[in-house]
Each structure stands twice: as C-alpha cells, then as structure tokens.
Amino acid sequence: MSNQDFAISSYHHLITTRPYDINRVVISDLHLSADEPALVQAFLALLDDVLVLPNVHQLYILGDWFDAWIGDDAYLSLSATEQKHHWLTPLITKLTELKNKGCQSFVMHGNRDFLIGQDFCDSFGGQLIDEPYLLKLGKMTYRLEHGDALCTDDKRYQRFRKVMRNPLVQWLLLKQPLHKRQALAQKIRSQSALDKSAKSLQIMDVNEQAVTCALKKVDGLIHGHTHRPACHQTHLALNAKARSQTLEFKKRYVLGDWRILDPDTRCEQVQAVIGLALDTQTSSSFELVTFEWPTR
Ligand code: LP5
Ligand code: MN
C-alpha cells in the first residue's frame, strides 16, 4: 500500500533558518506525568520556542498528551496552594502565555487521556477538538486524528475503546472517587502492558483499509499513536471498477512519541518527531521534523 519516504530534518535547524515560515506546530503522544519530569521540561522548552516564533498561531496536540487522565477534577478540585506546587501548573501558565501572544492551542483525545474535558482546557484558553478534525493548509485539506481508531485489527483494544468512549460509562467513571479512578487506571495500564506483550507489531499498527477510507475525502492524514514516525505515500485506486485504474498518491504523516533516549544517563535527552506547517508567500507545506531537548 505505501512506501516509506522518511527524510526528516531537525526542528532547530528549521527555527534558525526559516523562523518566519512556521505557522502551526502539531505534536502527539507526549505521555506527560509527574513521574517523567524530563518529558515535562521538554514540552515546556518547545512552548518557549513557540513563544518566540513570530508567526505560529496554532498548536495541535493530537492525543496522549498525558500518560493517564482520570478526570479534570484531579487538578481542578485542588486548593490554590496545592495547584501552586503541582507539576501541571507551569504547563498551564506557559500555554496561557501562548494564548495571550495569539497562539491558540487545540487538544484532541488519545486512548490514555480521553477523559480530558473542556473545563481543563479552559484553564489555559485551549480548545478541545473532536477527531477527525479537518485542517486546511493552503489548498490542501488534512485529516487529523489520534490514530488508535485506525488500528482495526486490534479487536480486543477496539472493544475496550468502544466501552471507554461510551458517554454513560464515562459519566459513571467520573462519578467514582479519585482514589478508585486512580486504581482503575493502574489496573488498565497493567492489563494493557500484559496484552501488548502478546500482540504482534502488525496487529498494533494501522489497518490498510481503515487508512484508505480515512484518506478518501482529504488530501492527507496526520496521526500519532503507533509510535512509528514516518511519512508514507499511499496509493489509492480512484476508480477500482474501471479497466484502467487511476492511482492517486496521498501522504500519511505519523507523528512520534516523546522518548527519553538512554534514561540511565544523568543528563536525559528527549526526542520526538513532530509536525510543522510552513507558509511562504507562494506555497504551504507540512513537514515532519525531529525535536530534541536539550539541544545538542
Ligand atoms: O497506550 P498504548 O500505546 O501503550 O496501548 C494502547 C492500548 N492500550 C490502552 C490502555 C492504555 O495504554 C492505558 C490507559 C491508562 C489509563 C487511562 C485513563 C483511565 C480512565 C479510567 C479511570 C477513570 O489504550 C492497547 C493497544 C495499543 O495501544 C496499540 O494500539 O493494543 O490496547 C490494549 O492493550 C487493551 C487491551 O487489549 C484490553 C484492556 C482491557 C483492560 C481491562 C481492565 C479491567 C478493568 C476495566 C473496567 C471498565
Ligand atoms: Mn495512543
């Protein structure tokens, strides 16, 4: 179906050579938590960059921003003093700065943080968006989604997803006290890790037909979730019934997860493949680039 065409440059190279061209930043799968401060610092460093880039006006987070989200109230119900010392507060402060500077943040659910609500996003002026989300870049329309819904061969996960995305189930979950939700999240995590160790890599990747279907009415697809960053060229048969098939080529960009390289070293290095939309006076483009923190 697709061949990999994966030439990515460095994010810092682009911000030093073409800072005026970058207008949107798209990221996914940061898996932030209190347990991984290096990932949190790397995210704050990216926001610092975005703050000084003159023309970035949109930041998209395509799911799994957090490692696990058990409800907005886990943060919003804290006292002012508790919030002051909470690891999420610097993120909220920086995203609010971004908003005040004219950069809007958009947040999409992932399979780990599907309980994020607009209430939490309001704390930094962000907007919760549903998937699929259509983004227009120049003349092209891109479909943005987390990517888990494309993994249709993973039947056990899809059944689990259906249950967890049911509004009634979510309402019931959110009615539970926080300590119960915390324990349940831990149970799901452990069960998922166990299940994943028995699943093949192919089952946990996107399904070809699901991708073809997702690409039908758009020019390109941008997603995360699989942790296999790449730019794929997908060939779509335009009229399968006609004798001479016309092939159409569409791109599928897979964003990367945020990784700590060599976690045993004292100075942890974080790396992620992120997306940038660039605009010049004559053209618009979307590129995958490697973001690294600290900068080497
Ligand atoms: O995230 P990743 O890439 O590691 O794995 C996913 C699928 N796994 C999941 C689970 C998450 O990783 C962990 C969720 C953390 C907590 C979320 C908030 C909880 C809210 C509830 C509390 C208020 O999504 C994994 C896929 C993989 O992607 C690749 O696509 O394979 O799917 C699984 O492994 C799912 C299992 O196959 C089925 C899990 C059943 C768990 C049953 C737990 C029992 C309690 C349930 C009661 C409702
Ligand atoms: Mn995911």
Side-chain angles (χ1 to χ4, degrees), residues 10-246:
S10 133
Y11 163 80
H12 284 100
H13 172 72
L14 269 179
I15 66 167
T16 50
T17 57
R18 302 175 61 186
Y20 291 93
D21 295 346
I22 305 172
N23 61 68
R24 289 176 179 89
V25 176
V26 189
I27 56 178
S28 185
D29 300 276
L30 294 88
H31 295 215
L32 301 188
S33 75
D35 298 334
E36 294 290 7
L39 295 179
V40 177
Q41 289 311 311
F43 177 57
L44 289 170
L46 177 83
L47 297 184
D48 276 334
D49 286 347
V50 174
L51 270 168
V52 294
L53 282 167
N55 294 322
V56 179
H57 63 281
Q58 290 183 338
L59 166 72
Y60 288 88
I61 306 176
L62 300 191
D64 287 0
W65 181 15
F66 300 112
D67 195 52
W69 193 259
I70 59 166
D72 292 1
D73 53 333
Y75 177 80
L76 297 180
S77 68
L78 297 176
S79 69
T81 319
E82 285 167 327
Q83 285 189 353
K84 194 172 163 200
H85 302 287
H86 199 280
W87 66 275
L88 282 169
T89 303
L91 272 63
I92 291 170
T93 307
K94 195 89 54 191
L95 285 165
T96 308
E97 254 182 83
L98 221 61
K99 166 87 180 183
N100 293 339
K101 193 216 146 201
C103 178
Q104 174 75 48
S105 306
F106 296 92
V107 178
M108 185 179 275
H109 287 148
N111 55 296
R112 289 167 169 263
D113 54 12
F114 54 85
L115 286 179
I116 294 179
Q118 184 57 49
D119 282 353
F120 177 66
C121 295
D122 283 344
S123 67
F124 54 86
Q127 192 183 323
L128 192 64
I129 52 171
D130 286 331
E131 62 172 5
Y133 180 90
L134 300 186
L135 174 66
K136 224 161 161 55
L137 299 179
K139 289 182 185 150
M140 309 275 273
T141 303
Y142 291 86
R143 175 181 165 123
L144 312 187
E145 61 181 292
H146 180 57
D148 57 327
L150 299 168
C151 302
T152 53
D153 295 328
D154 194 342
K155 304 279 185 229
R156 193 163 147 77
Y157 169 65
Q158 292 303 334
R159 273 198 299 275
F160 170 70
R161 184 181 196 273
K162 205 169 170 189
V163 173
M164 292 317 234
R165 299 300 176 97
N166 182 314
L168 183 63
V169 172
Q170 294 193 0
W171 181 80
L172 284 169
L173 285 172
L174 292 173
K175 282 238 165 279
Q176 305 304 310
L178 281 167
H179 72 274
K180 278 201 179 165
R181 283 184 253 162
Q182 198 66 264
L184 180 58
Q186 196 45 49
K187 226 183 230 174
I188 298 172
R189 260 209 196 113
S190 317
Q191 187 60 49
S192 171
L194 198 69
D195 280 18
K196 275 172 52 179
S197 63
K199 288 180 195 173
S200 72
L201 283 176
Q202 198 190 336
I203 276 184
M204 291 191 286
D205 204 353
V206 295
N207 168 282
E208 276 192 28
Q209 263 180 316
V211 167
T212 306
C213 190
L215 276 167
K216 225 163 233 167
K217 292 191 177 139
V218 292
D219 301 301
L221 173 62
I222 302 168
H223 70 85
H225 180 68
T226 60
H227 303 184
R228 297 174 219 201
C231 172
H232 298 276
Q233 188 96 265
T234 300
H235 310 168
L236 295 179
L238 267 187
N239 39 25
K241 282 188 190 137
R243 254 188 220 148
S244 59
Q245 269 191 7
T246 325

